[in-house]
Every structure is written in structure tokens, then in C-alpha cells.
Amino acid sequence: MRLAGAELLESREILPGQWLQSYHAPELVAGARAGQFVHVRTGDFSGLVLRRPFSFNTIDPLAGTLTIHFRTIGRGTEWFTRLRPGDRVDMLGPLGRPFEMDPRTQHVLLVAGGLGMAGVRALVDEAIRDGRQVTLLFGGAGARDVYPSALLPDEVEYVVATDDGSVGHHGFVTELVPEYEAWADQSFACGPLPMLRSLASLASSRRRRLGVASLGRKRGAGRPVPAGSPQARRKAFLQVSMEQNMGCAVGACLGCVVMATSGTPQRVCREGPVFGSDELEWEGGW
Ligand SMILES: Cc1cc2nc3c(=O)[nH]c(=O)nc-3n(C[C@H](O)[C@H](O)[C@H](O)COP(=O)(O)OP(=O)(O)OC[C@H]3O[C@@H](n4cnc5c(N)ncnc54)[C@H](O)[C@@H]3O)c2cc1C
Ligand code: FES
């Protein structure tokens, strides 16, 4: 984790109220991985004391750049839209634990709900770079919310669902999942809590519904794997990236806690934001 100044290179509104900003921040990008995030300080100290967390949307270690993709929903995100190229902000990162891919995984299913795209977008690049096949399911309210396909690599299969049926499948993005779950070796998701809960439920019944015990893969049978470890996450069929409200983002304030099935509270900023879906107590009410 490093604290560094990041210089804004480009800022544009890619969808109504949704911004894509590119920053030059070599110290933060070195070693950063998909699923991690930065905690950014606004320069307006009149009531905006807390930093704001944003996922690494894309990471370019060679150029030393990262992008963030955010929706304006309050004073902090509004403040960022007023920045101009050349302006500098103070960023802390990379924070949190990244997505973990099993080296044997060939077929990667990503599920993004709305702004959840920012949480999985960097994983598209990582998976394609490593020679895997990627299908990305995206769900939005309507056509005006659909993430532009021009911002994705050509290699990805991009499938859209909208609540109002104005583009793609008419209905929730989770309704598309059964079509791909036999094909997928692993799945990764970010989006609203009800979407993640529904995906976790599908993942937990997947083996039974597909009628297979292990999909022909020996996943370290017999060897105990510590809960919450990268190895345990790598073995989970579904990994989710959680977006709880945050205070410190370094594990001190306990403002971001979710409950694990083990009964141990998990700090989203330290033990997460990525969790195996079977690690979390989905009816926890957090
Ligand atoms: C690990 C992590 C990664 C994130 N990545 C992104 C990202 O890539 N793009 C993006 O647009 N947003 C992301 N968020 C959410 C983002 O941090 C908040 O939207 C932002 O801090 C709001 O700041 P604000 O000052 O504009 O709004 P505020 O004035 O602080 O809040 C406005 C409204 O937004 C709600 N809100 C605030 N924070 C969150 C949150 N974390 N989740 C849901 N609702 C919230 C508040 O309850 C309030 O109703 C992420 C959050 C986390 C924890
Ligand atoms: S935000 Fe403070 S412990 Fe996670």
C-alpha cells in the first residue's frame, strides 16, 4: 500500500452521470491487480474529510496509468468531475485483496450489474492477457445505462440485459447465468447486493443442478485450505467484489464489516473486497 499523488490525464462522461478518468500514478499501479481499489482524497475539505474508494477499472503498468469509472451520486464524486487534466489528487492504494484465478481456468464468466462494471473491468484485461476465454454479462436499467462495448477488448463476448428490455435480454442479468454456468470454470461478479445474493444462491446449487460432482477437476482433494486464503478463493466457483460504505479503508474503523459463514466478521477493506461467495453469510443483514 502506497500513498501517492496521481495526475489526471483525461476525464470524460461516458454515460449520463458516469465518468471515466485516467490518472498517471506509477507507484500505485505497480503490482496492482483486478479487484483491488484506491482510496482517493478530495481537495474540498469543507465536510469531505473521508476519502472515496474506487476500483481499479483498468491498470496499465507499462504506462503507469490507471482508470476509475464512477457515477456521480454525492458531493465527493461531483467534486471529481470538476478536475481538469494536469490536476493532482492524493491516492492510497492498491488496497484490498484481488480476484484469484485458478491457473487451470479457461472459461471465465464475469457478471456486472450497473457500476459493478468498474469492479470487474480490469479482470477482463487480465484474463484475456492470460489467454482465457471471457464472457461478460452486463445488467442495466435501460439502454442509456449500458456500458459501451467500444470500451471493451474485441476478444470478450459481451451480453447485455436491461430491466426495461430496451436493449438485449429483457430482465435481470442473473437470468442469463444458467445458460453459461456449465461452460464456465469460474465466475466473478460485482454489482448491487440483491444481484450478488442471487448469484451466490445459483452458485451454491450449481453442482447439484448440473448433475456433476466436481466437473472433472480435482481441486486439491484431501488437503485442507484455510478459509479466506487466496487458495480458498481460487477454488471458489464464484468470487464477488463487495462495495460497503467505507471509513478508513485500512482495517481500523470496522465500518465496512460483513459476516462470514464461519461467524467471523470480515472487513471488506482488508479481508475483501473480493470474497468467495461461499465465505459470506448472505442473510446476515449487514
Ligand atoms: C471497495 C469499493 C470500490 C468502489 N468502487 C467504485 C467504483 O469503481 N465506481 C463507483 O462509482 N463507485 C465505487 N464505489 C462506491 C463509491 O466509493 C461511492 O459511490 C462514493 O464514495 C460516493 O461518494 P460521494 O461523496 O459522491 O457520495 P456520498 O455523499 O458519500 O453518498 C451519496 C450516497 O451514496 C451512498 N454511498 C456512499 N458510498 C457508497 C458505497 N460504497 N456503496 C453504495 N452506496 C454508497 C450513500 O449512502 C449516499 O446515499 C466503491 C466502493 C467501495 C467500498
Ligand atoms: S473501512 Fe475502516 S475497517 Fe474497513
Side-chain angles (χ1 to χ4, degrees):
M1 175 176 73
R2 292 168 288 274
L3 180 63
E7 180 189 345
L8 181 67
L9 301 176
E10 192 187 3
S11 176
R12 60 190 169 116
E13 193 171 12
I14 54 168
L15 289 169
Q18 290 190 37
W19 294 71
L20 186 65
Q21 294 191 331
S22 170
Y23 289 90
H24 185 244
E27 301 97 322
L28 295 167
V29 165
R33 289 177 52 197
Q36 293 186 296
F37 64 99
V38 287
H39 213 202
V40 192
R41 191 161 77 187
T42 70
D44 174 358
F45 299 110
S46 54
L48 289 176
V49 180
L50 294 177
R51 290 168 178 269
R52 299 301 194 262
F54 299 104
S55 303
F56 280 96
N57 179 66
T58 57
I59 303 163
D60 185 339
L62 288 181
T65 57
L66 63 95
T67 63
I68 59 171
H69 166 203
F70 61 90
R71 189 202 304 271
T72 49
I73 58 167
R75 278 179 60 195
T77 43
E78 286 287 350
W79 184 87
F80 288 108
T81 66
R82 294 196 290 276
L83 292 172
R84 294 291 168 261
D87 289 347
R88 293 179 74 81
V89 290
D90 176 326
M91 285 189 186
L92 188 63
L95 295 168
R97 298 193 183 174
F99 290 112
E100 298 288 349
M101 190 83 69
D102 188 316
R104 294 164 295 184
T105 288
Q106 285 301 315
H107 299 153
V108 179
L109 181 65
L110 304 180
V111 188
L115 250 294
M117 179 62 97
V120 296
R121 174 64 187 81
L123 195 57
V124 174
D125 291 340
E126 276 190 16
I128 287 173
R129 180 200 64 202
D130 294 342
R132 306 180 211 276
Q133 288 180 42
V134 180
T135 295
L136 169 60
L137 309 181
F138 174 84
R144 69 196 297 272
D145 306 301
V146 173
Y147 187 81
S149 57
L151 295 176
L152 292 167
D154 292 341
E155 295 90 334
V156 68
E157 182 191 5
Y158 185 41
V159 186
V160 170
T162 50
D163 299 349
D164 64 6
S166 48
V167 183
H169 171 76
H170 187 176
F172 292 143
V173 65
T174 46
E175 293 162 13
L176 296 170
V177 170
E179 202 178 315
Y180 294 90
E181 59 185 353
W183 169 85
D185 297 315
Q186 279 188 289
S187 181
F188 304 85
C190 185
L193 193 54
M195 181 194 98
L196 297 181
R197 196 177 272 138
S198 168
L199 290 174
S201 164
L202 281 171
S204 68
S205 61
R206 173 173 171 271
R207 286 188 176 184
R208 180 176 46 75
R209 284 183 294 102
L210 294 180
V212 289
S214 64
L215 294 180
R217 301 166 76 184
K218 286 189 181 148
R219 292 177 163 250
R223 266 178 286 138
V225 179
S229 64
Q231 301 94 302
R233 279 172 200 175
R234 211 168 287 141
K235 287 171 187 297
F237 172 72
L238 172 66
Q239 290 168 45
V240 295
S241 176
M242 305 295 291
E243 290 191 354
Q244 291 295 96
N245 283 350
M246 278 188 187
C248 68
V250 292
C253 73
L254 304 184
C256 62
V257 163
V258 294
M259 193 52 77
T261 42
S262 63
T264 313
Q266 305 283 305
R267 296 163 299 180
V268 169
C269 65
R270 287 302 286 259
E271 286 77 47
V274 173
F275 296 93
S277 66
D278 50 0
E279 284 182 78
L280 295 180
E281 182 52 72
W282 290 96
E283 304 309 321
W286 21 266

